Amino acid sequence: MSSSEARPPERLHGLDALRGTALLLGVVLHAAMAYFPVTIWIVPDTDNSPLASILFFAIHLFRMTSFFLIAGLFAHMMLHRRGTAGFIKDRLIRIAGPLAALWTPIFAAFVAVLIWMAAIRNGGVIPTDGPPPPAMTVGNFPLTHLWFLWVLLILYGAMLVLRAPFAVMDRGGGWGRVVDRITGALIGPWTPVLMAAPLAVAFWLAPDWIPFFGIPTPDTGLVPNPVALTAFGTAFGLGFLLDRRRDLLTRIERLWPVFTVVALGVGAAALVLAGGPVPPLMPVTDPNLKAPLATVMALAIFASTFAALSLALRFASGRSAVRRYLADASYWIYLIHLPLVMVGQVLVVNAVLPWFVKFGLVIGGTMAVSLITYELLVRHSFMGRWLNGHRVPWRRAPTTAPAPAE
């Protein structure tokens, strides 16, 4: 029986925890980019280390594929519960709404930090002889770190279009049972290999692919690059199917030792093949080198994704007030974190401190500001319902004394 027909009432705490972790790791990932041994970030620091690039590589392997897989599962769950109209209304409010409302102030903050950093490099004076900024077009529109909201909206639209004919034809449930059997066949120790196959082809076909960075981030332009659409689309699609077969989550959980060992081994191989901790920033052009690189990198991405998923299901499925709070807060934190990270990086850029101290200060400062604003401005206000679908009221002390015991 599919979970569409017998829905467990309990909250999926492990998946909530992984979704929140994926978003919170964005703070760590973007903070680490300033401390690469090669310059890749708009706020580079002269205090750097290969450890920062290794940390970036490890996080970047699984973070967003894990997020989109869970997003697909929750999309099917919401569609089943609310229907098409309710699903569209909710996604417009909680996904399109934040993108429309926050893009302008966040982009303005980016520009302000860029000007600030340029002034620091120019001896404290804002340079006035730079070229004018390019005009924004469909091809170069700067989505910033909010790109994931745009890609989510694209995947939701594709999901509704692709699902519509099957929903019409599947009045008796025959198609659904076939899909559920196919989904069951996909899940096993072989799952990362099956998921990696289309991504490896996309890597190989990409003309300007830099292996160290894995899936190119679709943060520029309103048409996501084919590699990102392939990776995130397949992850989202599998998550959508898994919600019909919640029983398969138990199978994934039991495979956590296999997925973890494979992820560590293939991930280490991918790091070495991609250039190690001091990565070359040139696209790979040799077809004899590109094919094995594409294969190993794609497998590393989905092996680490399923390792993260299985570990979350195995070790984070219990109730935890702390994990629940951080999962709720993670959306707000991710939305506002990047300008805060950049401000922190600028504030410590000239400090005479080890790189890891600066790194920790940037993360700590960003998290402190984000959590305080979440608690004071979001969690207990209308914004809590806007972003998380619910509002947590302030807890009030009782106004009357309890009745005496008889």
Side-chain angles (χ1 to χ4, degrees):
M1 181 179 293
S2 77
S3 63
S4 296
E5 299 166 315
R7 181 76 59 190
E10 71 275 3
R11 188 180 180 95
L12 295 173
H13 297 285
L15 299 187
D16 257 354
L18 181 55
R19 179 178 59 176
T21 299
L23 291 175
L24 294 177
L25 282 176
V27 179
V28 181
L29 181 140
H30 290 125
M33 292 172 72
Y35 307 103
F36 264 48
V38 292
T39 300
I40 66 164
W41 188 228
I42 53 181
V43 189
D45 200 301
T46 55
D47 298 300
N48 51 63
S49 170
L51 293 177
S53 57
I54 294 175
L55 181 61
F56 170 94
F57 182 86
I59 293 172
H60 191 58
L61 268 184
F62 74 91
R63 189 175 73 91
M64 293 312 294
T65 42
S66 299
F67 174 85
F68 280 102
L69 191 151
I70 296 171
L73 188 147
F74 287 161
H76 183 274
M77 179 176 65
M78 182 179 298
L79 190 62
H80 173 76
R81 290 179 176 176
R82 301 193 179 190
T84 302
F87 175 84
I88 293 173
K89 178 181 177 181
D90 182 270
R91 298 295 85 184
L92 288 176
I93 292 172
R94 294 177 56 195
I95 303 298
L99 176 59
L102 296 179
W103 181 86
T104 297
I106 284 176
F107 184 70
F110 268 96
V111 174
V113 174
L114 286 173
I115 294 173
W116 184 13
M117 190 63 190
I120 291 175
R121 291 172 174 169
N122 199 44
V125 179
I126 297 175
T128 59
D129 55 351
M136 292 187 189
T137 66
V138 170
N140 71 0
F141 189 87
L143 288 166
T144 71
H145 66 295
L146 302 183
W147 65 265
F148 78 107
L149 299 175
W150 180 249
V151 173
L152 272 176
L153 292 173
I154 292 173
L155 293 177
Y156 291 145
M159 172 198 75
L160 292 173
V161 170
L162 293 174
R163 177 182 176 273
F166 289 98
V168 172
M169 294 187 296
D170 197 30
R171 300 295 185 184
W175 277 102
R177 288 188 288 273
V178 171
V179 168
D180 289 343
R181 286 195 291 270
I182 293 173
T183 305
L186 290 174
I187 301 302
W190 51 83
T191 306
V193 176
L194 297 178
M195 296 294 290
L199 180 57
V201 174
F203 280 148
W204 190 78
L205 293 175
D208 53 354
W209 179 53
I210 300 176
F212 184 86
F213 296 107
I215 302 167
T217 303
D219 56 355
T220 302
L222 298 179
V223 180
N225 65 76
V227 175
L229 277 181
T230 301
F232 302 143
T234 52
F236 183 94
L238 182 62
F240 187 85
L241 297 177
L242 279 174
D243 189 58
R244 294 180 54 90
R245 291 287 309 271
R246 292 277 187 91
D247 59 296
L248 294 175
L249 295 178
T250 302
R251 188 185 300 178
I252 293 171
E253 177 185 346
R254 290 172 179 167
L255 287 168
W256 72 266
V258 175
F259 289 144
T260 303
V261 170
V262 173
L264 291 173
V266 182
L271 176 63
V272 172
L273 290 175
V278 186
L281 301 182
M282 297 294 292
V284 58
T285 56
D286 184 351
N288 295 322
L289 178 61
K290 191 173 185 179
L293 264 172
T295 302
V296 173
M297 185 63 68
L299 182 57
I301 287 170
F302 277 106
S304 58
T305 297
F306 277 88
L309 179 61
S310 60
L311 289 169
L313 291 169
R314 175 64 180 85
F315 297 105
S317 287
R319 295 178 182 273
S320 167
V322 173
R323 286 200 300 266
R324 175 66 184 276
Y325 184 92
L326 291 175
D328 285 348
S330 62
Y331 189 19
W332 170 253
I333 292 172
Y334 192 79
L335 289 175
I336 69 166
H337 84 281
L338 194 48
L340 298 176
V341 166
M342 294 169 64
V343 168
Q345 290 166 336
V346 173
L347 288 174
V348 301
V349 69
N350 290 326
V352 184
L353 294 169
W355 78 271
F356 56 86
V357 175
K358 295 182 179 182
F359 178 56
L361 288 173
V362 172
I363 295 173
T366 299
M367 289 298 297
V369 173
S370 300
L371 286 170
I372 289 171
T373 55
Y374 174 72
E375 179 64 29
L376 297 180
L377 302 178
V378 177
R379 184 170 175 81
H380 309 283
S381 72
F382 74 94
M383 294 180 67
R385 178 172 293 278
W386 180 36
L387 296 179
N388 295 330
H390 63 273
R391 183 176 67 85
V392 179
W394 289 101
R395 293 184 178 179
R396 300 179 183 275
T399 56
T400 57
E406 295 182 356

